C-alpha cells in the first residue's frame, strides 16, 4: 500500500469525512503490518475549512499556486535590488502582481467553498492570510503547494527573509532629481506594503 497516495486521498475528502476515513486507513495499515505508517496517519488532524479549500485549490489549480512562487521570487529580487540601491528595482510591479495573484486565488478558493455548499465569507481572511504567507515565504508556499494543510497559516509580518541573497552593485551614474524621487517612491511603496500586510494581519488576529 502506498501510504503517500492514501494520505493524499484523505486530504481530498470533505472535512467532516476526514476522521472516519483516517481511522479506517490506520486499521488497514496496521492489518498490512505497516505500523510506522499507521502511527503517522493517526497523528493527522482534520483540516479546517480554509485549509481544506486551499488543499483542493492546490489540486485544481496547480498553475495558480505556481504563480505564487513566481511572485515570491519577483519580490525577493526587487527587494534585493532596492536594498542594493539599484534604480528601478521593480518593487511596485512585484507588489502589484502579488495583490493580483493573491486576490485571484482567494476568490478561486471561495469558489471551491461555494461549490461545496459552504459560505466563503467567514473564511476569506484566513484563506487570504495563508496565500499572503505563501507569496513571501518558501516554506509556506511548499505547504500550500503540497495540498496537505491542516490549518491556515498566519499572515506574514513582512516580505520574507532576504538573508543569503547577494546584493547588487549599484549603478554608478550620478544621481538625478528624478532618480532620487523614484527611489524615494519605491521606498515609500515598500513601507506602504508593509503597513498593508500589518493591517491585514491585525484584522485576522483581531
Amino acid at each position: 500500500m502506498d501510504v503517500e497516495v492514501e494520505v493524499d486521498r484523505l486530504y481530498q475528502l470533505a472535512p467532516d469525512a476526514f476522521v472516519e476515513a483516517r481511522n479506517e486507513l490506520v486499521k488497514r495499515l496496521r492489518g498490512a503490518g505497516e505500523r510506522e505508517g499507521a502511527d503517522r496517519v493517526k497523528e493527522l488532524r482534520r483540516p479546517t475549512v480554509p485549509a481544506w479549500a486551499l488543499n483542493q485549490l492546490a489540486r485544481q489549480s496547480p498553475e495558480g499556486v505556481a504563480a505564487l512562487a513566481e511572485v515570491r521570487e519577483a519580490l525577493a529580487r526587487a527587494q534585493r535590488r532596492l536594498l542594493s540601491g539599484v534604480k528601478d528595482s521593480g518593487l511596485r510591479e512585484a507588489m502589484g502582481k502579488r495583490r493580483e495573484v493573491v486576490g485571484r486565488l482567494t476568490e478561486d478558493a471561495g469558489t471551491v467553498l461555494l461549490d461545496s455548499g459552504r459560505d466563503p465569507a467567514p473564511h476569506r481572511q484566513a484563506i487570504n492570510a495563508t496565500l499572503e504567507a505563501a507569496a513571501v515565504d518558501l516554506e509556506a508556499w511548499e505547504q500550500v503547494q503540497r495540498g496537505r494543510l491542516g490549518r491556515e497559516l498566519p499572515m506574514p509580518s513582512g516580505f520574507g527573509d532576504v538573508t543569503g541573497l547577494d546584493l547588487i552593485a549599484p549603478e554608478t551614474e550620478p544621481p538625478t532629481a528624478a532618480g532620487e524621487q523614484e527611489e524615494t517612491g519605491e521606498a515609500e511603496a515598500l513601507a506602504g506594503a508593509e503597513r498593508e500586510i500589518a493591517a491585514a494581519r491585525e484584522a485576522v488576529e483581531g
Side-chain angles (χ1 to χ4, degrees):
M1 184 185 308
D2 190 326
V3 178
E4 295 303 318
V5 170
E6 295 298 327
V7 169
D8 274 334
R9 287 174 179 163
L10 281 180
Y11 283 99
Q12 294 178 49
L13 298 173
D16 54 5
F18 184 90
V19 173
E20 182 178 354
R22 179 203 62 196
N23 293 344
E24 178 60 31
L25 177 57
V26 169
K27 290 179 182 178
R28 288 194 286 126
L29 287 169
R30 285 178 175 167
E34 298 188 37
R35 176 167 292 278
E36 183 177 342
D39 290 343
R40 183 165 69 87
V41 170
K42 185 179 179 180
E43 296 299 317
L44 300 177
R45 294 293 174 259
R46 179 177 65 183
T48 63
V49 172
W52 176 81
L54 288 166
N55 289 339
Q56 308 323 303
L57 183 65
R59 291 172 172 81
Q60 296 173 16
S61 180
E63 68 281 358
V65 176
L68 281 174
E70 296 172 4
V71 165
R72 177 179 52 78
E73 292 165 2
L75 281 169
R77 286 194 301 269
Q79 191 173 7
R80 181 182 62 172
R81 290 173 65 85
L82 181 63
L83 293 173
S84 300
V86 176
K87 292 187 295 184
D88 189 20
S89 69
L91 182 63
R92 289 180 178 177
E93 293 81 359
M95 290 190 303
K97 187 65 174 178
R98 171 186 66 86
R99 284 191 291 270
E100 175 193 336
V101 171
V102 169
R104 183 178 72 247
L105 292 178
T106 298
E107 292 302 316
D108 290 347
T111 299
V112 169
L113 291 176
L114 281 174
D115 290 345
S116 70
R118 295 175 173 83
D119 180 6
H123 311 293
R124 191 176 301 277
Q125 284 187 337
I127 289 170
N128 184 263
T130 301
L131 292 170
E132 289 282 10
V136 299
D137 181 80
L138 176 59
E139 183 178 349
W141 178 82
E142 289 175 341
Q143 291 184 59
V144 172
Q145 187 269 342
R146 196 175 187 191
R148 294 185 182 181
L149 287 170
R151 61 182 300 107
E152 54 273 19
L153 302 176
M155 177 71 72
S157 58
F159 278 103
D161 187 9
V162 293
T163 302
L165 291 178
D166 294 331
L167 297 183
I168 300 170
E171 299 174 10
T172 57
E173 296 178 4
T176 63
E180 291 178 353
Q181 184 176 8
E182 182 178 357
E183 290 176 6
T184 300
E186 292 206 334
E188 290 175 349
L190 176 60
E194 294 278 9
R195 289 193 297 271
E196 177 184 324
I197 288 179
R201 182 186 181 92
E202 184 177 344
V204 171
E205 295 177 347

